Amino acid sequence: MKRINQILANEDYIKYLSKNKEAEGDRIYCHHDIAHFLDVSRIAYIISLEEKLNVNKEILYAMGLLHDIGRWMEYESGIDHALASKNLAEGILLDCDFSETEIQEILTAIESHRNIKSTSVLGDLLYRADKLSRNCLHCSAIGTCKKFQNKEVPVILY
């Protein structure tokens, strides 16, 4: 997990986490912070083990840690945060010794992580892990959350 720790110590990564925190200071819904990123990473890893997908753990953690780092840009300019995150993640991945092939796989997953029908195994894993990562059971904002607009009942799977 050497490269994952490099991501976590990367100056740009830390700056983007801070920008997300600032942009979501008054947000009553789920935040896009390190806790969410780690939850997504760990759930993606669990699913990959359960389904015997044989995906490298560092790849899963990298996509989980980076998939929402551009959320602040969506608040500021309206750009889709998946695209913003993809663009911001590329430099970090280069700085942290990921290969060109790994970078392209991770960036493709990040860019498509909001689409239920992904064109890649990683994109599908990221989509599912992202949705499953939220602890909605005792959320005080569940009554107005778009995830539960049809009175769905939250459950925990991971």
Side-chain angles (χ1 to χ4, degrees):
M1 297 284 278
K2 178 184 173 193
R3 297 182 295 177
I4 298 311
N5 287 300
Q6 288 177 310
I7 290 172
L8 293 169
N10 181 279
E11 287 181 25
D12 288 333
Y13 184 73
I14 293 166
K15 178 175 72 176
Y16 302 146
L17 283 178
S18 177
K19 287 179 171 274
N20 275 358
K21 183 176 181 175
E22 183 180 323
E24 294 183 335
D26 296 330
R27 184 176 163 91
I28 63 169
Y29 301 107
C30 297
H31 289 217
H32 300 86
D33 56 15
I34 191 66
H36 171 58
F37 298 165
L38 286 170
D39 287 344
V40 170
S41 300
R42 290 174 176 141
I43 290 170
Y45 184 56
I46 292 167
I47 293 170
S48 117
L49 292 173
E50 288 178 347
E51 296 181 3
K52 298 175 180 37
L53 298 176
N54 197 30
V55 180
N56 178 285
K57 184 163 85 169
E58 281 191 314
I59 301 298
L60 296 172
Y61 270 74
M63 71 178 192
L65 290 174
L66 296 167
H67 80 284
D68 280 339
I69 59 170
R71 186 66 190 214
W72 59 275
M73 293 177 75
E74 188 168 316
Y75 297 125
E76 282 186 6
S77 68
I79 185 174
D80 176 21
H81 77 270
L83 180 59
S85 298
K86 173 195 168 195
N87 293 336
L88 296 174
E90 186 170 13
I92 294 171
L93 292 166
L94 283 167
D95 288 347
C96 296
D97 302 321
F98 285 84
S99 73
E100 207 42 57
T101 300
E102 292 171 326
I103 290 171
Q104 289 313 309
E105 290 173 351
I106 293 166
L107 295 180
T108 298
I110 290 171
E111 184 176 28
S112 67
H113 84 268
R114 299 180 69 202
N115 302 328
I116 193 166
K117 296 286 187 193
S118 178
T119 58
S120 72
V121 171
L122 287 181
D124 176 63
L125 261 176
L126 185 54
Y127 174 84
R128 292 189 289 153
D130 193 25
K131 297 298 180 206
L132 293 166
S133 70
R134 299 305 192 171
N135 184 5
C136 305
L137 286 174
H138 300 288
C139 177
S140 60
I142 197 168
T144 59
C145 179
K146 66 182 178 183
K147 274 183 76 173
F148 299 97
Q149 63 190 7
N150 296 317
K151 305 296 182 212
E152 295 90 340
V153 176
V155 294
I156 298 293
L157 298 177
Y158 293 95

PDB file of all heavy atoms in Angstrom, residues 2-10 13 58 66 90-99 102-103:
ATOM      1  N   LYS A   2       2.090   1.104  -0.460  1.00  0.00           N
ATOM      2  CA  LYS A   2       3.019   2.241  -0.511  1.00  0.00           C
ATOM      3  C   LYS A   2       2.444   3.398  -1.335  1.00  0.00           C
ATOM      4  O   LYS A   2       2.479   4.554  -0.902  1.00  0.00           O
ATOM      5  CB  LYS A   2       4.353   1.780  -1.091  1.00  0.00           C
ATOM      6  CG  LYS A   2       5.369   2.870  -1.236  1.00  0.00           C
ATOM      7  CD  LYS A   2       6.640   2.360  -1.901  1.00  0.00           C
ATOM      8  CE  LYS A   2       7.558   3.530  -2.188  1.00  0.00           C
ATOM      9  NZ  LYS A   2       8.636   3.158  -3.088  1.00  0.00           N
ATOM     10  N   ARG A   3       1.899   3.080  -2.502  1.00  0.00           N
ATOM     11  CA  ARG A   3       1.393   4.151  -3.361  1.00  0.00           C
ATOM     12  C   ARG A   3       0.139   4.802  -2.788  1.00  0.00           C
ATOM     13  O   ARG A   3      -0.100   5.992  -3.006  1.00  0.00           O
ATOM     14  CB  ARG A   3       1.122   3.606  -4.775  1.00  0.00           C
ATOM     15  CG  ARG A   3       2.399   3.110  -5.455  1.00  0.00           C
ATOM     16  CD  ARG A   3       2.149   2.620  -6.851  1.00  0.00           C
ATOM     17  NE  ARG A   3       1.293   1.441  -6.860  1.00  0.00           N
ATOM     18  CZ  ARG A   3       0.875   0.831  -7.965  1.00  0.00           C
ATOM     19  NH1 ARG A   3       1.225   1.278  -9.155  1.00  0.00           N
ATOM     20  NH2 ARG A   3       0.096  -0.234  -7.898  1.00  0.00           N
ATOM     21  N   ILE A   4      -0.635   4.046  -2.029  1.00  0.00           N
ATOM     22  CA  ILE A   4      -1.836   4.614  -1.389  1.00  0.00           C
ATOM     23  C   ILE A   4      -1.409   5.630  -0.338  1.00  0.00           C
ATOM     24  O   ILE A   4      -1.994   6.716  -0.229  1.00  0.00           O
ATOM     25  CB  ILE A   4      -2.710   3.503  -0.783  1.00  0.00           C
ATOM     26  CG1 ILE A   4      -3.200   2.559  -1.876  1.00  0.00           C
ATOM     27  CG2 ILE A   4      -3.866   4.091   0.021  1.00  0.00           C
ATOM     28  CD1 ILE A   4      -3.806   3.243  -3.089  1.00  0.00           C
ATOM     29  N   ASN A   5      -0.389   5.297   0.420  1.00  0.00           N
ATOM     30  CA  ASN A   5       0.113   6.248   1.409  1.00  0.00           C
ATOM     31  C   ASN A   5       0.739   7.466   0.743  1.00  0.00           C
ATOM     32  O   ASN A   5       0.697   8.573   1.301  1.00  0.00           O
ATOM     33  CB  ASN A   5       1.076   5.550   2.367  1.00  0.00           C
ATOM     34  CG  ASN A   5       0.311   4.649   3.322  1.00  0.00           C
ATOM     35  OD1 ASN A   5      -0.543   5.113   4.068  1.00  0.00           O
ATOM     36  ND2 ASN A   5       0.568   3.353   3.262  1.00  0.00           N
ATOM     37  N   GLN A   6       1.283   7.294  -0.454  1.00  0.00           N
ATOM     38  CA  GLN A   6       1.775   8.442  -1.213  1.00  0.00           C
ATOM     39  C   GLN A   6       0.615   9.361  -1.610  1.00  0.00           C
ATOM     40  O   GLN A   6       0.741  10.584  -1.548  1.00  0.00           O
ATOM     41  CB  GLN A   6       2.520   7.986  -2.472  1.00  0.00           C
ATOM     42  CG  GLN A   6       3.870   7.366  -2.208  1.00  0.00           C
ATOM     43  CD  GLN A   6       4.521   6.865  -3.490  1.00  0.00           C
ATOM     44  OE1 GLN A   6       3.907   6.153  -4.277  1.00  0.00           O
ATOM     45  NE2 GLN A   6       5.772   7.242  -3.693  1.00  0.00           N
ATOM     46  N   ILE A   7      -0.502   8.761  -2.027  1.00  0.00           N
ATOM     47  CA  ILE A   7      -1.684   9.570  -2.364  1.00  0.00           C
ATOM     48  C   ILE A   7      -2.116  10.368  -1.137  1.00  0.00           C
ATOM     49  O   ILE A   7      -2.348  11.574  -1.206  1.00  0.00           O
ATOM     50  CB  ILE A   7      -2.844   8.698  -2.872  1.00  0.00           C
ATOM     51  CG1 ILE A   7      -2.533   8.116  -4.251  1.00  0.00           C
ATOM     52  CG2 ILE A   7      -4.159   9.510  -2.923  1.00  0.00           C
ATOM     53  CD1 ILE A   7      -3.548   7.092  -4.755  1.00  0.00           C
ATOM     54  N   LEU A   8      -2.231   9.691  -0.013  1.00  0.00           N
ATOM     55  CA  LEU A   8      -2.708  10.342   1.211  1.00  0.00           C
ATOM     56  C   LEU A   8      -1.798  11.485   1.664  1.00  0.00           C
ATOM     57  O   LEU A   8      -2.267  12.426   2.301  1.00  0.00           O
ATOM     58  CB  LEU A   8      -2.862   9.308   2.327  1.00  0.00           C
ATOM     59  CG  LEU A   8      -3.960   8.270   2.097  1.00  0.00           C
ATOM     60  CD1 LEU A   8      -3.865   7.145   3.117  1.00  0.00           C
ATOM     61  CD2 LEU A   8      -5.332   8.918   2.120  1.00  0.00           C
ATOM     62  N   ALA A   9      -0.516  11.412   1.317  1.00  0.00           N
ATOM     63  CA  ALA A   9       0.442  12.463   1.694  1.00  0.00           C
ATOM     64  C   ALA A   9       0.645  13.495   0.590  1.00  0.00           C
ATOM     65  O   ALA A   9       1.326  14.498   0.809  1.00  0.00           O
ATOM     66  CB  ALA A   9       1.779  11.823   2.059  1.00  0.00           C
ATOM     67  N   ASN A  10       0.038  13.300  -0.563  1.00  0.00           N
ATOM     68  CA  ASN A  10       0.222  14.182  -1.709  1.00  0.00           C
ATOM     69  C   ASN A  10      -0.367  15.567  -1.404  1.00  0.00           C
ATOM     70  O   ASN A  10      -1.514  15.687  -0.950  1.00  0.00           O
ATOM     71  CB  ASN A  10      -0.448  13.559  -2.936  1.00  0.00           C
ATOM     72  CG  ASN A  10      -0.295  14.388  -4.174  1.00  0.00           C
ATOM     73  OD1 ASN A  10      -1.028  15.356  -4.373  1.00  0.00           O
ATOM     74  ND2 ASN A  10       0.636  13.997  -5.021  1.00  0.00           N
ATOM     75  N   TYR A  13      -3.639  16.321  -3.186  1.00  0.00           N
ATOM     76  CA  TYR A  13      -4.732  15.525  -2.611  1.00  0.00           C
ATOM     77  C   TYR A  13      -5.234  16.182  -1.322  1.00  0.00           C
ATOM     78  O   TYR A  13      -6.442  16.361  -1.134  1.00  0.00           O
ATOM     79  CB  TYR A  13      -4.264  14.090  -2.338  1.00  0.00           C
ATOM     80  CG  TYR A  13      -5.367  13.200  -1.826  1.00  0.00           C
ATOM     81  CD1 TYR A  13      -6.377  12.759  -2.679  1.00  0.00           C
ATOM     82  CD2 TYR A  13      -5.411  12.813  -0.497  1.00  0.00           C
ATOM     83  CE1 TYR A  13      -7.400  11.943  -2.215  1.00  0.00           C
ATOM     84  CE2 TYR A  13      -6.431  11.989  -0.033  1.00  0.00           C
ATOM     85  CZ  TYR A  13      -7.421  11.566  -0.892  1.00  0.00           C
ATOM     86  OH  TYR A  13      -8.448  10.763  -0.434  1.00  0.00           O
ATOM     87  N   GLU A  58      -4.276  -1.880  -4.428  1.00  0.00           N
ATOM     88  CA  GLU A  58      -3.890  -0.484  -4.570  1.00  0.00           C
ATOM     89  C   GLU A  58      -4.705   0.225  -5.652  1.00  0.00           C
ATOM     90  O   GLU A  58      -5.008   1.407  -5.515  1.00  0.00           O
ATOM     91  CB  GLU A  58      -2.396  -0.359  -4.886  1.00  0.00           C
ATOM     92  CG  GLU A  58      -1.523  -0.527  -3.658  1.00  0.00           C
ATOM     93  CD  GLU A  58      -0.089  -0.141  -3.933  1.00  0.00           C
ATOM     94  OE1 GLU A  58       0.465  -0.548  -4.974  1.00  0.00           O
ATOM     95  OE2 GLU A  58       0.485   0.580  -3.092  1.00  0.00           O
ATOM     96  N   LEU A  66      -9.789   8.763  -4.805  1.00  0.00           N
ATOM     97  CA  LEU A  66      -9.754   9.879  -5.746  1.00  0.00           C
ATOM     98  C   LEU A  66     -11.081  10.180  -6.439  1.00  0.00           C
ATOM     99  O   LEU A  66     -11.210  11.208  -7.093  1.00  0.00           O
ATOM    100  CB  LEU A  66      -8.686   9.593  -6.815  1.00  0.00           C
ATOM    101  CG  LEU A  66      -7.250   9.503  -6.299  1.00  0.00           C
ATOM    102  CD1 LEU A  66      -6.337   8.905  -7.364  1.00  0.00           C
ATOM    103  CD2 LEU A  66      -6.757  10.865  -5.851  1.00  0.00           C
ATOM    104  N   GLU A  90      -5.435  12.555 -12.258  1.00  0.00           N
ATOM    105  CA  GLU A  90      -4.360  12.122 -13.156  1.00  0.00           C
ATOM    106  C   GLU A  90      -2.978  12.531 -12.646  1.00  0.00           C
ATOM    107  O   GLU A  90      -2.056  11.708 -12.589  1.00  0.00           O
ATOM    108  CB  GLU A  90      -4.591  12.657 -14.564  1.00  0.00           C
ATOM    109  CG  GLU A  90      -3.581  12.122 -15.560  1.00  0.00           C
ATOM    110  CD  GLU A  90      -3.922  12.443 -16.994  1.00  0.00           C
ATOM    111  OE1 GLU A  90      -4.815  13.288 -17.245  1.00  0.00           O
ATOM    112  OE2 GLU A  90      -3.283  11.847 -17.870  1.00  0.00           O
ATOM    113  N   GLY A  91      -2.814  13.781 -12.275  1.00  0.00           N
ATOM    114  CA  GLY A  91      -1.518  14.251 -11.787  1.00  0.00           C
ATOM    115  C   GLY A  91      -1.090  13.551 -10.511  1.00  0.00           C
ATOM    116  O   GLY A  91       0.094  13.238 -10.325  1.00  0.00           O
ATOM    117  N   ILE A  92      -2.038  13.310  -9.641  1.00  0.00           N
ATOM    118  CA  ILE A  92      -1.727  12.626  -8.378  1.00  0.00           C
ATOM    119  C   ILE A  92      -1.254  11.204  -8.663  1.00  0.00           C
ATOM    120  O   ILE A  92      -0.260  10.738  -8.091  1.00  0.00           O
ATOM    121  CB  ILE A  92      -2.955  12.629  -7.440  1.00  0.00           C
ATOM    122  CG1 ILE A  92      -3.281  14.066  -7.012  1.00  0.00           C
ATOM    123  CG2 ILE A  92      -2.710  11.735  -6.224  1.00  0.00           C
ATOM    124  CD1 ILE A  92      -4.592  14.218  -6.274  1.00  0.00           C
ATOM    125  N   LEU A  93      -1.945  10.513  -9.554  1.00  0.00           N
ATOM    126  CA  LEU A  93      -1.553   9.144  -9.891  1.00  0.00           C
ATOM    127  C   LEU A  93      -0.166   9.102 -10.522  1.00  0.00           C
ATOM    128  O   LEU A  93       0.638   8.197 -10.222  1.00  0.00           O
ATOM    129  CB  LEU A  93      -2.595   8.513 -10.815  1.00  0.00           C
ATOM    130  CG  LEU A  93      -3.955   8.239 -10.168  1.00  0.00           C
ATOM    131  CD1 LEU A  93      -5.005   7.948 -11.228  1.00  0.00           C
ATOM    132  CD2 LEU A  93      -3.857   7.102  -9.156  1.00  0.00           C
ATOM    133  N   LEU A  94       0.131  10.068 -11.367  1.00  0.00           N
ATOM    134  CA  LEU A  94       1.473  10.149 -11.962  1.00  0.00           C
ATOM    135  C   LEU A  94       2.531  10.367 -10.883  1.00  0.00           C
ATOM    136  O   LEU A  94       3.581   9.719 -10.883  1.00  0.00           O
ATOM    137  CB  LEU A  94       1.539  11.287 -12.986  1.00  0.00           C
ATOM    138  CG  LEU A  94       0.901  11.014 -14.338  1.00  0.00           C
ATOM    139  CD1 LEU A  94       0.744  12.306 -15.135  1.00  0.00           C
ATOM    140  CD2 LEU A  94       1.709   9.988 -15.122  1.00  0.00           C
ATOM    141  N   ASP A  95       2.234  11.272  -9.944  1.00  0.00           N
ATOM    142  CA  ASP A  95       3.165  11.563  -8.854  1.00  0.00           C
ATOM    143  C   ASP A  95       3.389  10.365  -7.931  1.00  0.00           C
ATOM    144  O   ASP A  95       4.415  10.288  -7.252  1.00  0.00           O
ATOM    145  CB  ASP A  95       2.660  12.728  -7.993  1.00  0.00           C
ATOM    146  CG  ASP A  95       2.756  14.074  -8.687  1.00  0.00           C
ATOM    147  OD1 ASP A  95       3.434  14.169  -9.730  1.00  0.00           O
ATOM    148  OD2 ASP A  95       2.126  15.034  -8.184  1.00  0.00           O
ATOM    149  N   CYS A  96       2.430   9.446  -7.912  1.00  0.00           N
ATOM    150  CA  CYS A  96       2.470   8.334  -6.959  1.00  0.00           C
ATOM    151  C   CYS A  96       2.840   7.001  -7.622  1.00  0.00           C
ATOM    152  O   CYS A  96       2.535   5.932  -7.088  1.00  0.00           O
ATOM    153  CB  CYS A  96       1.144   8.239  -6.217  1.00  0.00           C
ATOM    154  SG  CYS A  96       0.812   9.704  -5.208  1.00  0.00           S
ATOM    155  N   ASP A  97       3.491   7.090  -8.758  1.00  0.00           N
ATOM    156  CA  ASP A  97       4.126   5.921  -9.395  1.00  0.00           C
ATOM    157  C   ASP A  97       3.170   4.874  -9.957  1.00  0.00           C
ATOM    158  O   ASP A  97       3.528   3.693 -10.047  1.00  0.00           O
ATOM    159  CB  ASP A  97       5.117   5.247  -8.424  1.00  0.00           C
ATOM    160  CG  ASP A  97       6.193   6.206  -7.947  1.00  0.00           C
ATOM    161  OD1 ASP A  97       6.657   7.022  -8.765  1.00  0.00           O
ATOM    162  OD2 ASP A  97       6.554   6.146  -6.760  1.00  0.00           O
ATOM    163  N   PHE A  98       1.982   5.279 -10.358  1.00  0.00           N
ATOM    164  CA  PHE A  98       1.094   4.344 -11.045  1.00  0.00           C
ATOM    165  C   PHE A  98       1.501   4.294 -12.516  1.00  0.00           C
ATOM    166  O   PHE A  98       1.951   5.303 -13.084  1.00  0.00           O
ATOM    167  CB  PHE A  98      -0.371   4.778 -10.891  1.00  0.00           C
ATOM    168  CG  PHE A  98      -0.917   4.494  -9.520  1.00  0.00           C
ATOM    169  CD1 PHE A  98      -0.707   5.395  -8.479  1.00  0.00           C
ATOM    170  CD2 PHE A  98      -1.615   3.328  -9.254  1.00  0.00           C
ATOM    171  CE1 PHE A  98      -1.192   5.134  -7.202  1.00  0.00           C
ATOM    172  CE2 PHE A  98      -2.097   3.057  -7.982  1.00  0.00           C
ATOM    173  CZ  PHE A  98      -1.881   3.957  -6.960  1.00  0.00           C
ATOM    174  N   SER A  99       1.351   3.125 -13.115  1.00  0.00           N
ATOM    175  CA  SER A  99       1.718   2.974 -14.529  1.00  0.00           C
ATOM    176  C   SER A  99       0.667   3.644 -15.409  1.00  0.00           C
ATOM    177  O   SER A  99      -0.452   3.925 -14.960  1.00  0.00           O
ATOM    178  CB  SER A  99       1.828   1.492 -14.897  1.00  0.00           C
ATOM    179  OG  SER A  99       0.536   0.908 -14.978  1.00  0.00           O
ATOM    180  N   GLU A 102      -2.472   1.517 -15.494  1.00  0.00           N
ATOM    181  CA  GLU A 102      -3.228   1.648 -14.243  1.00  0.00           C
ATOM    182  C   GLU A 102      -3.949   2.981 -14.182  1.00  0.00           C
ATOM    183  O   GLU A 102      -5.118   3.052 -13.790  1.00  0.00           O
ATOM    184  CB  GLU A 102      -2.291   1.503 -13.037  1.00  0.00           C
ATOM    185  CG  GLU A 102      -1.725   0.120 -12.851  1.00  0.00           C
ATOM    186  CD  GLU A 102      -0.640   0.068 -11.788  1.00  0.00           C
ATOM    187  OE1 GLU A 102       0.127   1.062 -11.634  1.00  0.00           O
ATOM    188  OE2 GLU A 102      -0.543  -0.960 -11.106  1.00  0.00           O
ATOM    189  N   ILE A 103      -3.256   4.039 -14.570  1.00  0.00           N
ATOM    190  CA  ILE A 103      -3.846   5.377 -14.533  1.00  0.00           C
ATOM    191  C   ILE A 103      -5.075   5.438 -15.427  1.00  0.00           C
ATOM    192  O   ILE A 103      -6.132   5.936 -15.008  1.00  0.00           O
ATOM    193  CB  ILE A 103      -2.806   6.455 -14.934  1.00  0.00           C
ATOM    194  CG1 ILE A 103      -1.746   6.579 -13.833  1.00  0.00           C
ATOM    195  CG2 ILE A 103      -3.485   7.798 -15.200  1.00  0.00           C
ATOM    196  CD1 ILE A 103      -0.555   7.446 -14.215  1.00  0.00           C
TER     197      ILE A 103
END
